Amino acid sequence: MRVLLVEDDDGVAGALVDALGAQGHRPIRCHLGADALVAHRDADLVLLDLGLPDMDGLEVLRKLRKVSSVPVLVLTARGDERSVVRGLRSGADDYLIKPVRLRELLARVEAVTRRAAAQTSEPKRVVEVGDIAVDLEARLVRVADQPVPLTTKEFDVLAVLARGAGVAVSRQQIMDEVWGDAYLAVSRSLDVHMTTLRAKLDRPEMLRTIRGFGYRLG
Protein backbone atom coordinates (compact mmCIF):
# COMPACT_ATOMS: atom_id res chain seq x y z
CA MET A 1 0.00 0.00 0.00
CA ARG A 2 1.25 3.50 -0.86
CA VAL A 3 1.34 5.54 2.37
CA LEU A 4 1.91 9.30 2.23
CA LEU A 5 3.62 10.43 5.45
CA VAL A 6 3.32 14.19 6.04
CA GLU A 7 5.79 14.84 8.85
CA ASP A 8 8.44 17.56 9.27
CA ASP A 9 10.37 15.86 12.10
CA ASP A 10 13.13 13.77 10.50
CA GLY A 11 13.54 11.46 13.49
CA VAL A 12 9.84 10.61 13.71
CA ALA A 13 9.55 10.29 9.95
CA GLY A 14 12.54 7.96 9.72
CA ALA A 15 11.14 5.57 12.32
CA LEU A 16 7.71 5.53 10.67
CA VAL A 17 9.13 5.01 7.17
CA ASP A 18 11.19 2.06 8.42
CA ALA A 19 8.20 0.52 10.24
CA LEU A 20 5.89 0.89 7.25
CA GLY A 21 8.51 -0.46 4.85
CA ALA A 22 9.11 -3.48 7.08
CA GLN A 23 5.40 -4.33 6.77
CA GLY A 24 5.55 -4.24 2.97
CA HIS A 25 4.04 -0.78 2.51
CA ARG A 26 5.53 1.85 0.21
CA PRO A 27 5.96 5.03 2.27
CA ILE A 28 6.27 8.42 0.56
CA ARG A 29 7.38 11.24 2.83
CA CYS A 30 6.87 14.99 2.48
CA HIS A 31 7.58 17.85 4.90
CA LEU A 32 4.96 20.44 3.95
CA GLY A 33 1.19 20.61 3.84
CA ALA A 34 1.33 22.19 0.38
CA ASP A 35 3.24 19.16 -0.92
CA ALA A 36 0.66 16.82 0.62
CA LEU A 37 -2.13 18.52 -1.32
CA VAL A 38 -0.40 17.34 -4.51
CA ALA A 39 1.18 14.04 -3.42
CA HIS A 40 -2.06 12.57 -2.00
CA ARG A 41 -3.12 11.66 -5.55
CA ASP A 42 -0.55 8.85 -5.55
CA ALA A 43 -1.41 7.53 -2.07
CA ASP A 44 -3.75 4.86 -0.71
CA LEU A 45 -3.53 6.32 2.82
CA VAL A 46 -2.27 9.58 4.35
CA LEU A 47 -0.55 9.83 7.75
CA LEU A 48 -0.86 13.51 8.59
CA ASP A 49 0.97 15.45 11.30
CA LEU A 50 -0.90 18.57 12.41
CA GLY A 51 2.14 20.67 13.38
CA LEU A 52 3.51 21.45 9.92
CA PRO A 53 5.82 24.40 9.18
CA ASP A 54 3.82 25.95 6.33
CA MET A 55 0.19 25.47 7.41
CA ASP A 56 -1.91 23.87 10.14
CA GLY A 57 -2.56 20.19 9.51
CA LEU A 58 -6.30 20.66 10.07
CA GLU A 59 -6.37 23.11 7.17
CA VAL A 60 -4.56 20.53 5.02
CA LEU A 61 -7.16 17.96 6.06
CA ARG A 62 -10.10 20.23 5.22
CA LYS A 63 -8.63 21.00 1.79
CA LEU A 64 -7.98 17.30 1.15
CA ARG A 65 -11.58 16.45 1.97
CA LYS A 66 -12.84 18.88 -0.66
CA VAL A 67 -11.10 16.93 -3.43
CA SER A 68 -10.39 13.42 -2.13
CA SER A 69 -11.80 10.59 -0.01
CA VAL A 70 -8.37 9.05 0.60
CA PRO A 71 -8.22 7.66 4.18
CA VAL A 72 -6.41 10.04 6.56
CA LEU A 73 -4.93 9.03 9.90
CA VAL A 74 -3.89 12.05 11.95
CA LEU A 75 -0.68 11.90 14.00
CA THR A 76 -0.24 14.70 16.51
CA ALA A 77 0.98 15.77 19.91
CA ARG A 78 -2.35 17.56 20.47
CA GLY A 79 -4.06 15.09 22.76
CA ASP A 80 -6.80 17.27 24.24
CA GLU A 81 -10.40 16.31 23.56
CA ARG A 82 -11.16 19.50 21.62
CA SER A 83 -8.34 18.81 19.14
CA VAL A 84 -9.44 15.19 18.67
CA VAL A 85 -13.03 16.27 17.98
CA ARG A 86 -11.87 18.97 15.55
CA GLY A 87 -9.75 16.42 13.71
CA LEU A 88 -12.62 13.96 13.35
CA ARG A 89 -15.04 16.69 12.29
CA SER A 90 -12.56 17.90 9.68
CA GLY A 91 -12.59 14.48 8.05
CA ALA A 92 -9.94 12.33 9.76
CA ASP A 93 -10.63 8.60 9.70
CA ASP A 94 -8.63 8.06 12.88
CA TYR A 95 -6.48 10.00 15.34
CA LEU A 96 -3.25 8.94 17.08
CA ILE A 97 -1.45 10.84 19.82
CA LYS A 98 2.35 11.14 19.80
CA PRO A 99 4.55 9.47 20.85
CA VAL A 100 3.07 6.80 18.59
CA ARG A 101 3.49 3.12 19.43
CA LEU A 102 4.44 1.45 16.16
CA ARG A 103 2.33 -1.68 16.67
CA GLU A 104 -0.74 0.41 17.38
CA LEU A 105 -0.03 2.61 14.36
CA LEU A 106 0.23 -0.40 12.04
CA ALA A 107 -2.98 -1.87 13.47
CA ARG A 108 -4.81 1.43 12.96
CA VAL A 109 -3.50 1.68 9.40
CA GLU A 110 -4.91 -1.78 8.64
CA ALA A 111 -8.25 -0.95 10.29
CA VAL A 112 -8.67 2.33 8.41
CA THR A 113 -7.89 0.74 5.05
CA ARG A 114 -10.29 -2.16 5.72
CA ARG A 115 -13.09 0.30 6.48
CA ALA A 116 -12.29 2.35 3.38
CA ALA A 117 -12.33 -0.77 1.20
CA ALA A 118 -15.66 -1.86 2.69
CA GLN A 119 -17.22 1.54 1.99
CA THR A 120 -16.18 1.46 -1.69
CA SER A 121 -17.31 -2.14 -2.28
CA GLU A 122 -20.86 -3.37 -2.84
CA PRO A 123 -23.04 -2.15 0.06
CA LYS A 124 -24.04 -4.87 2.50
CA ARG A 125 -27.68 -5.72 2.88
CA VAL A 126 -27.14 -7.11 6.38
CA VAL A 127 -24.61 -5.55 8.74
CA GLU A 128 -23.48 -7.76 11.64
CA VAL A 129 -21.75 -6.27 14.67
CA GLY A 130 -21.22 -8.82 17.43
CA ASP A 131 -24.58 -10.58 17.77
CA ILE A 132 -26.49 -7.57 16.41
CA ALA A 133 -27.74 -8.04 12.83
CA VAL A 134 -29.23 -5.07 10.95
CA ASP A 135 -31.00 -5.87 7.67
CA LEU A 136 -30.89 -2.50 5.89
CA GLU A 137 -33.28 -3.48 3.08
CA ALA A 138 -35.89 -5.38 5.09
CA ARG A 139 -35.53 -2.91 8.00
CA LEU A 140 -35.25 -5.73 10.52
CA VAL A 141 -33.01 -6.01 13.57
CA ARG A 142 -32.06 -9.16 15.46
CA VAL A 143 -29.99 -9.49 18.62
CA ALA A 144 -28.73 -12.97 19.53
CA ASP A 145 -30.99 -14.18 16.68
CA GLN A 146 -34.07 -12.69 18.38
CA PRO A 147 -36.13 -9.98 16.61
CA VAL A 148 -36.04 -6.51 18.16
CA PRO A 149 -38.98 -4.23 17.28
CA LEU A 150 -37.92 -0.65 16.55
CA THR A 151 -39.85 2.44 15.57
CA THR A 152 -39.18 3.98 12.16
CA LYS A 153 -36.90 6.69 13.55
CA GLU A 154 -35.06 4.27 15.87
CA PHE A 155 -34.28 2.05 12.90
CA ASP A 156 -33.21 5.04 10.80
CA VAL A 157 -30.74 6.13 13.50
CA LEU A 158 -29.37 2.60 13.87
CA ALA A 159 -29.06 2.23 10.08
CA VAL A 160 -26.84 5.33 9.85
CA LEU A 161 -24.54 3.84 12.50
CA ALA A 162 -24.65 0.35 10.92
CA ARG A 163 -23.61 1.64 7.49
CA GLY A 164 -20.52 3.11 9.17
CA ALA A 165 -20.01 0.28 11.67
CA GLY A 166 -16.80 0.69 13.62
CA VAL A 167 -16.48 4.37 12.65
CA ALA A 168 -17.47 7.36 14.78
CA VAL A 169 -20.49 9.11 13.26
CA SER A 170 -21.18 12.72 14.21
CA ARG A 171 -24.45 13.87 15.73
CA GLN A 172 -24.79 16.31 12.82
CA GLN A 173 -24.52 13.53 10.23
CA ILE A 174 -27.13 11.39 12.02
CA MET A 175 -29.56 14.30 12.25
CA ASP A 176 -28.92 15.25 8.62
CA GLU A 177 -29.68 11.73 7.39
CA VAL A 178 -32.60 10.91 9.69
CA TRP A 179 -34.34 14.28 10.07
CA GLY A 180 -33.14 15.89 6.85
CA ASP A 181 -31.34 18.87 8.36
CA ALA A 182 -29.18 18.97 11.46
CA TYR A 183 -30.07 22.61 12.02
CA LEU A 184 -33.81 21.98 11.96
CA ALA A 185 -33.71 18.72 13.93
CA VAL A 186 -34.15 18.89 17.67
CA SER A 187 -30.97 17.58 19.28
CA ARG A 188 -32.96 16.24 22.22
CA SER A 189 -34.85 13.95 19.83
CA LEU A 190 -31.62 12.17 18.95
CA ASP A 191 -30.78 11.73 22.64
CA VAL A 192 -34.18 10.17 23.31
CA HIS A 193 -33.88 7.78 20.37
CA MET A 194 -30.37 6.73 21.41
CA THR A 195 -31.61 6.00 24.94
CA THR A 196 -34.45 3.79 23.69
CA LEU A 197 -32.15 2.07 21.18
CA ARG A 198 -29.68 1.17 23.91
CA ALA A 199 -32.49 -0.22 26.06
CA LYS A 200 -33.95 -2.31 23.25
CA LEU A 201 -30.63 -3.66 21.96
CA ASP A 202 -29.35 -4.30 25.49
CA ARG A 203 -25.75 -4.17 24.24
CA PRO A 204 -24.31 -1.01 25.87
CA GLU A 205 -20.75 -1.97 24.93
CA MET A 206 -21.68 -2.02 21.22
CA LEU A 207 -23.38 1.40 21.04
CA ARG A 208 -20.83 3.89 22.32
CA THR A 209 -20.94 7.64 22.83
CA ILE A 210 -17.95 9.56 21.46
CA ARG A 211 -17.96 12.49 23.84
CA GLY A 212 -18.34 15.84 22.13
CA PHE A 213 -18.73 14.23 18.70
CA GLY A 214 -21.32 11.51 18.22
CA TYR A 215 -21.73 7.74 18.37
CA ARG A 216 -20.21 4.48 17.14
CA LEU A 217 -21.70 1.03 16.58
CA GLY A 218 -19.10 -1.61 17.36
Side-chain angles (χ1 to χ4, degrees):
M1 187 168 59
R2 298 166 300 175
V3 180
L4 174 62
L5 173 61
V6 191
E7 170 62 68
D8 66 319
D9 186 301
D10 291 335
V12 173
L16 294 177
V17 165
D18 289 345
L20 291 165
Q23 294 297 312
H25 300 300
R26 287 179 287 163
I28 310 159
R29 189 259 178 119
C30 64
H31 299 73
L32 302 177
D35 294 335
L37 294 175
V38 175
H40 77 273
R41 301 181 186 124
D42 299 318
D44 301 307
L45 174 80
V46 177
L47 298 181
L48 176 64
D49 181 30
L50 295 186
L52 300 172
D54 61 332
M55 67 176 74
D56 189 274
L58 287 177
E59 182 63 21
V60 176
L61 180 56
R62 284 190 285 267
K63 289 183 176 181
L64 271 179
R65 280 293 166 255
K66 291 180 180 179
V67 297
S68 174
S69 60
V70 63
V72 177
L73 200 163
V74 165
L75 306 174
T76 182
R78 304 176 195 172
D80 60 286
E81 181 180 306
R82 182 170 179 269
S83 294
V84 173
V85 170
R86 287 182 67 199
L88 292 170
R89 284 180 171 164
S90 297
D93 294 271
D94 208 342
Y95 200 105
L96 270 175
I97 309 300
K98 293 179 179 180
V100 176
R101 292 175 293 186
L102 292 178
R103 284 188 179 181
E104 182 181 3
L105 169 67
L106 294 170
R108 298 283 190 97
V109 165
E110 291 177 8
V112 166
T113 50
R114 278 199 307 270
R115 293 199 298 263
Q119 289 170 0
T120 56
S121 62
E122 189 71 21
K124 288 184 177 180
R125 174 186 168 183
V126 179
V127 177
E128 296 183 354
V129 181
D131 62 355
I132 301 172
V134 183
D135 189 325
L136 296 170
E137 291 185 10
R139 298 180 64 87
L140 298 173
V141 178
R142 301 179 74 86
V143 176
D145 210 30
Q146 297 299 311
V148 177
L150 299 180
T151 67
T152 298
K153 278 291 190 284
E154 287 167 357
F155 183 88
D156 290 343
V157 170
L158 182 60
V160 175
L161 296 172
R163 284 193 290 268
V167 180
V169 181
S170 71
R171 293 176 61 88
Q172 178 174 339
Q173 181 179 339
I174 296 170
M175 290 189 288
D176 278 344
E177 294 194 30
V178 175
W179 281 273
D181 190 326
Y183 295 100
L184 297 178
V186 179
S187 182
R188 179 62 182 156
S189 296
L190 177 56
D191 296 332
V192 170
H193 283 83
M194 290 301 301
T195 298
T196 57
L197 262 179
R198 284 196 172 99
K200 290 183 177 182
L201 296 177
D202 194 26
R203 295 293 186 273
E205 75 283 359
M206 300 301 290
L207 197 53
R208 297 186 177 275
T209 298
I210 309 301
R211 188 176 174 189
F213 182 72
Y215 303 94
R216 184 182 72 230
L217 179 63

